[in-house]
Amino acid sequence: MAVQGLSDEKIGGRTMRESVLEVPGARLRYAVHGEGPLLLLVAGGHYGVDANEPLAHHLADRYTVLTYDRRGLSGSTTDAPATTLATHADDVSRLLSALTPEPALVYGTSIGALISLELTVRHPGQVAAVVAHEPPVTNLLPEPGRALALGQLLTVEETFRAEGAAPAMRRFAADIDIDPNDCEPDVPARAPGPDHLRNAEVLLTHDMPAIRAHVLDVAALKGSPARVVPAAGENSGHVWPHTCAAMLAGELGTRLETFPGGHNGYVLRPRGTAERIRAVLGS
C-alpha cells in the first residue's frame, strides 16, 4: 500500500487533509478532519467525502474524522470495480491500517452501514464500536418484506438499464422516501456535482447487485469484540431499511438507537446526527 499526500484545506477554521491510498485494484481518496479518537464515516448511496463533509465538520471537535470515496466514486479510481461488499470492507481495512494501529470507531449508513458491519466481521480487531444506520441487511427481513425489498432494488436496476441513471435514482429515492425538505434550516440544497451520474452508474451497476446478494454473518458479528449499535431514522419507520436495523437489534439483543430525520439523515441533518453519534459512542 502507498499513501500519497494531496492537499490541506481550511474549512470552518479546521484543517481538512486529503490524501490517496493505493490498494489492490484501486486508488482511494480520503480526507481527515480534527483531532482525537479516530472515527470513520462510511457514506451511503453514491456519496463519499463531499457528502460527509458537513457531518465531519460537526464531529471534528472531538474526533479525528476519516471520510473516503468508495472505489469507483469521485476521487477514488479503480480498474477492478467491487462486486461484493467484502471488497469494500477490505478497502476500509487497508485504509484504517494505514492510519492507525488502534481499533477505530465507525459510523456507516445504508450501504455504508453494511460495509461497516462486513468490516467488523472480516477484521474485528480493527473496530472498537460501529454505529450501523439502516443497513440494508435483506437476509434478516421476514417474508414478504424481504421479497419486497429485493424486488424494489431489482426494479431500480432494471429502470437504470432501460431508462438511465437519473430515473433509476429518482425511483430509488422514492422507494426509501428520501425527503429533501426534512433537513436542518442551515443545510443548503445539494446541487448534483459533476460526478453525480457517473457515481450513480457505479452504484447501480456494481453496488446495488452486491447489496442484493449479500448475506450478513450474524453469528460472526455476535462473536466480534466490537460494540455494534443498530440505528435508524426517527422518520423512516415505514421503509424497509429501518426494519432491517430493527431486526439486527433484535438479533443482537440490543436497543435500536434513533437518529434525526429519515434514511438520509446524515446528509440532511448533520448537526443532529453528530450529536447522536457523540451521545451513542459516549454511552
Side-chain angles (χ1 to χ4, degrees):
M1 294 184 293
V3 178
Q4 300 179 16
L6 288 182
S7 64
D8 286 1
E9 179 182 357
K10 283 283 186 181
I11 298 178
R14 298 189 181 95
T15 299
M16 179 180 77
R17 301 175 297 278
E18 282 197 0
S19 299
V20 170
L21 176 70
E22 294 187 9
V23 299
R27 300 173 74 249
L28 303 178
R29 178 179 75 144
Y30 68 92
V32 180
H33 310 61
E35 295 180 0
L38 185 67
L39 170 58
L40 167 67
L41 306 180
V42 189
H46 55 315
Y47 295 137
V49 168
D50 295 340
N52 258 331
E53 201 287 317
L55 177 57
H57 172 75
H58 289 299
L59 290 163
D61 61 335
R62 185 174 299 186
Y63 303 101
T64 298
V65 186
L66 169 63
T67 62
Y68 81 110
D69 296 330
R70 295 197 310 273
R71 63 170 60 202
L73 301 186
S74 298
S76 291
T77 59
T78 182
D79 55 13
T83 57
T84 69
L85 274 297
T87 299
H88 287 308
D90 290 346
D91 283 347
V92 173
S93 172
R94 293 184 175 97
L95 185 54
L96 290 175
S97 294
L99 296 177
T100 179
E102 302 295 329
L105 304 170
V106 182
Y107 170 84
T109 191
S110 194
I111 184 177
L114 206 52
I115 292 168
S116 301
L117 293 173
E118 186 66 11
L119 169 72
T120 306
V121 167
R122 294 174 64 84
H123 307 279
Q126 290 187 287
V127 180
V130 54
V131 181
H133 183 272
E134 301 198 5
V137 192
T138 56
N139 63 294
L140 296 184
L141 291 173
E143 297 294 359
R146 182 172 183 269
L148 172 65
L150 292 174
Q152 285 185 347
L153 293 173
L154 186 58
T155 299
V156 169
E157 294 170 43
E158 291 170 345
T159 301
F160 166 57
R161 289 191 289 270
E163 303 176 36
M169 293 305 293
R170 287 195 294 270
R171 182 171 191 120
F172 184 46
D175 286 343
I176 56 178
D177 197 21
I178 299 296
D179 180 4
N181 296 313
D182 183 10
C183 65
E184 291 165 350
D186 57 346
V187 172
R190 285 185 57 83
D195 297 326
H196 173 74
L197 287 180
R198 183 176 66 83
N199 287 356
E201 289 172 358
V202 173
L203 172 71
L204 296 163
T205 303
H206 303 289
D207 290 337
M208 200 164 284
I211 291 172
R212 286 193 294 106
H214 186 70
V215 177
L216 179 66
D217 188 340
V218 177
L221 195 63
K222 289 179 179 179
S224 168
R227 176 182 170 222
V228 181
V229 182
E234 61 186 1
N235 297 332
S236 63
H238 56 293
V239 297
W240 62 265
H242 185 116
T243 306
C244 287
M247 297 301 296
L248 178 61
E251 288 284 340
L252 298 177
T254 190
R255 182 174 67 182
L256 177 68
E257 297 289 347
T258 302
F259 274 61
H263 185 70
N264 220 26
Y266 77 108
V267 172
L268 298 172
R269 294 188 170 274
R271 181 179 288 102
T273 299
E275 290 174 357
R276 286 296 292 138
I277 289 174
R278 284 193 291 264
V280 167
L281 291 180
S283 63

